[in-house]
């Protein structure tokens, strides 16, 4: 059943879906500045503190994989409400955690619940919109999703001026409650006659069929690999910019802020162009620009010691998130109306699995500007090879529009 594109997108709906999409990344990144204080207060090692991040990321990936197929069977609204409520409870337990062991357990639970917000928000968009409008809505909610991982550490640093690390989790509780109220305003988007029956084996078969569907898998891989450079930047930038180039904490914050604004501007541009240009053309442009920026960055750090030869191409590279992510999601989910929840889950799993694996592996030999530049060149090259070597070749939304004309 094909959705009828809406002429006007309700602003409240956009804000709610965007906020729910960002719930997981905010949970992951908000407390990054507080990790040293957290580990010291709980008498834990630095490795244990880093493990809290890894467990949250694993929870985000598994939460999407579990909840997405479930919503194809039971509907979107109730799992969404349960997931956001569980996120708030987990954040509250983190705020009062008496030991690192308790914190690690509830961080995983919080990540799992946060994954529900990401996967269900995407599935709801697919339920409500189709064609070029689908790309436009994804571009608009991705403004929030793309900026959240960059802004969250800045917000966490500001909050630490007035509170402790426990206060950051209290802030996540407040955020969860606000988003629970926003989720309650959203109606059910998957009607009973469109739900998919079946148990765990049926869900597993749907996941397997998606992984064999080139129309889904190829744009999903382009998106997941294409935005990995942003996660490399988040993971390595503090070491590179502060330790190698000597930027102060305030200068480092300005860099993060500039990149967040760039993602916003490019995402808004993508949203305004997608109906005229198409998601595939925008995705291709984003992949190409990101690759060129990565090449310039590597050449710059090899021939010059100036921080600007890193910062300028880095700004361009990170800003491409605002065009690569929404258009890859739109292309991947466009033909998946019957299994949007499962498709959204697999997309999220690919994205977070790649983001979790690449930065630590690249950092094994140390974190330097050259290592960061080589890593982002590797990810952008892989995205370009997938895009041009394997597909996608055509934009299904634009073909459908042409056929209907």
């Amino acid at each position: 059943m094909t959705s009828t594109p809406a002429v006007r997108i309700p602003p409240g709906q956009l804000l709610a879906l965007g906020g729910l999409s960002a719930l997981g990344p905010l949970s992951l990144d908000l407390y990054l500045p507080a990790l040293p204080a957290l580990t010291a207060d709980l008498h834990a090692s630095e490795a244990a503190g880093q493990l809290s991040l890894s467990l949250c990321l694993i929870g985000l990936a598994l939460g999407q994989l579990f909840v997405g197929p479930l919503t194809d069977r039971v509907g979107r609204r109730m799992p969404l409400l349960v997931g956001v409520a569980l996120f708030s409870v987990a954040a509250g337990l983190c705020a009062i955690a008496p030991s690192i062991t308790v914190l690690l357990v509830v961080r995983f639970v919080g990540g799992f619940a946060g994954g529900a917000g990401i996967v269900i928000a995407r599935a709801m968009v697919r339920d409500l919109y189709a064609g070029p409008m689908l790309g436009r809505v994804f571009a608009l909610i991705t403004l929030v999703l793309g900026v959240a991982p960059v802004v969250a550490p800045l917000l966490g640093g500001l909050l630490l001026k007035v509170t402790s690390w426990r206060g950051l989790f209290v802030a996540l509780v407040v955020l969860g409650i606000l988003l629970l109220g926003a989720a309650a305003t959203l109606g059910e988007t998957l009607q009973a006659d469109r739900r998919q029956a079946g148990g765990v084996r049926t869900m597993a078969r749907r996941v397997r069929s998606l992984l064999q569907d080139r129309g889904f898998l190829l744009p999903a891989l382009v998106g997941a690999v294409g935005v990995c450079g942003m996660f490399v930047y988040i993971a390595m930038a503090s070491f590179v910019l502060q330790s190698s180039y000597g930027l102060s904490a305030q200068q480092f914050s300005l860099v993060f802020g500039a990149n967040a604004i760039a993602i916003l501007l490019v995402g808004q541009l993508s949203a305004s162009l997608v109906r005229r240009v198409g998601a595939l053309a925008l995705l291709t442009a984003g992949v190409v620009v990101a690759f060129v920026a990565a090449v310039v960055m590597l050449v710059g750090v090899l021939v010059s010691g100036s921080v600007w030869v890193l910062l300028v191409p880095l700004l361009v590279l990170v800003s491409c998130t605002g065009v690569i992510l929404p258009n890859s999601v739109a292309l991947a989910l466009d033909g998946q109306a019957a299994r949007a929840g499962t498709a959204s889950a697999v997309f999220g799993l690919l994205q977070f699995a790649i983001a979790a694996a690449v930065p630590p592996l690249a950092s094994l030999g140390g974190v330097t500007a050259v290592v960061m530049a080589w890593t982002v060149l590797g990810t952008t090259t892989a995205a370009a090879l997938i895009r041009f070597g394997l597909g996608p070749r055509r934009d299904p939304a634009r073909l459908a529009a042409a056929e209907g004309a």
Side-chain angles (χ1 to χ4, degrees):
M1 178 178 179
T2 302
S3 305
T4 301
V7 175
R8 179 178 178 274
I9 307 167
Q13 182 188 85
L14 277 177
L15 287 173
L17 291 171
L20 291 166
S21 297
L23 190 59
L26 282 172
S27 172
L28 181 68
D29 297 328
L30 184 71
Y31 80 122
L32 287 178
L35 272 179
L38 181 153
T39 53
D41 191 38
L42 295 179
H43 307 290
S45 64
E46 291 183 359
Q50 291 293 327
L51 183 59
S52 71
L53 289 172
S54 299
L55 286 175
C56 183
L57 195 58
I58 292 169
L60 280 170
L62 294 180
Q64 292 181 76
L65 187 61
F66 174 81
V67 175
L70 177 66
T71 65
D72 284 340
R73 181 180 180 186
V74 304
R76 318 291 190 207
R77 191 170 188 270
M78 188 53 65
L80 177 63
L81 295 175
V82 172
V84 179
L86 181 60
F87 172 88
S88 301
V89 171
L93 292 175
C94 285
I96 59 173
S99 67
I100 190 64
T101 302
V102 173
L103 182 78
L104 292 176
V105 172
V106 290
R107 283 299 287 159
F108 172 80
V109 173
F112 190 95
I118 299 173
V119 72
I120 296 175
R122 278 198 299 250
M124 282 182 153
V125 172
R126 181 58 191 87
D127 292 339
L128 293 168
Y129 303 98
M133 186 62 72
L134 179 66
R136 175 170 170 76
V137 177
F138 272 131
L140 291 172
I141 67 170
T142 303
L143 293 178
V144 182
L145 181 59
V147 170
V150 182
V151 170
L154 298 177
L155 180 59
L158 292 174
L159 289 174
L160 281 177
K161 294 182 179 296
V162 296
T163 186
S164 68
W165 66 267
R166 296 184 185 274
L168 298 187
F169 287 106
V170 173
L172 287 176
V173 174
V174 174
L175 175 64
I177 293 172
L178 291 175
L179 288 176
L180 182 61
T185 67
L186 299 172
E188 177 58 66
T189 61
L190 185 66
Q191 303 309 315
D193 61 344
R194 296 172 56 202
R195 296 178 189 176
Q196 305 291 309
V200 174
R201 289 184 179 179
T202 303
M203 293 181 185
R205 284 197 296 270
R206 290 193 199 116
V207 171
R208 186 167 59 250
S209 68
L210 272 171
L211 295 175
Q212 296 169 346
D213 181 352
R214 289 170 60 89
F216 165 81
L217 184 60
L218 294 178
L221 283 173
V222 174
V225 178
V227 301
C228 186
M230 183 187 70
F231 290 98
V232 171
Y233 153 67
I234 292 171
M236 298 186 181
S238 61
F239 299 100
V240 172
L241 295 178
Q242 292 182 280
S243 300
S244 299
Y245 287 98
L247 267 64
S248 67
Q250 291 74 26
Q251 291 170 326
F252 180 68
S253 297
L254 288 175
V255 171
F256 260 72
N259 286 322
I261 293 171
I263 294 173
L264 277 170
L265 293 176
V266 172
Q268 183 61 49
L269 179 64
S270 175
S272 65
L273 290 178
V274 69
R275 282 181 289 184
R276 287 179 289 168
V277 178
L280 182 57
L282 288 172
L283 176 61
T284 303
V287 168
V288 171
V289 171
F291 171 76
V292 172
V295 172
V296 173
M297 183 192 304
L298 178 60
V299 173
V301 298
L302 288 175
V303 302
S304 172
S306 170
V307 70
W308 291 106
V309 300
L310 174 67
L311 291 181
V312 174
L314 181 64
L315 178 71
V316 176
L317 176 81
V318 173
S319 70
C320 288
T321 300
V323 67
I324 293 175
L325 186 56
N327 291 294
S328 61
V329 174
L331 288 168
L333 268 63
D334 190 68
Q336 307 298 332
R339 50 186 182 183
T342 304
S344 177
V346 175
F347 187 101
L349 179 65
L350 289 171
Q351 179 187 345
F352 281 100
I354 293 171
V358 171
L361 290 174
S363 302
L364 290 177
V367 179
T368 65
V370 173
V371 169
M372 186 168 77
W374 271 114
T375 305
V376 296
L377 178 59
T379 61
T380 56
T381 301
L385 289 174
I386 297 169
R387 166 63 191 94
F388 293 104
L390 299 175
R393 302 288 183 184
R394 299 177 297 177
D395 189 330
R398 290 182 68 82
L399 287 175
E403 291 169 0

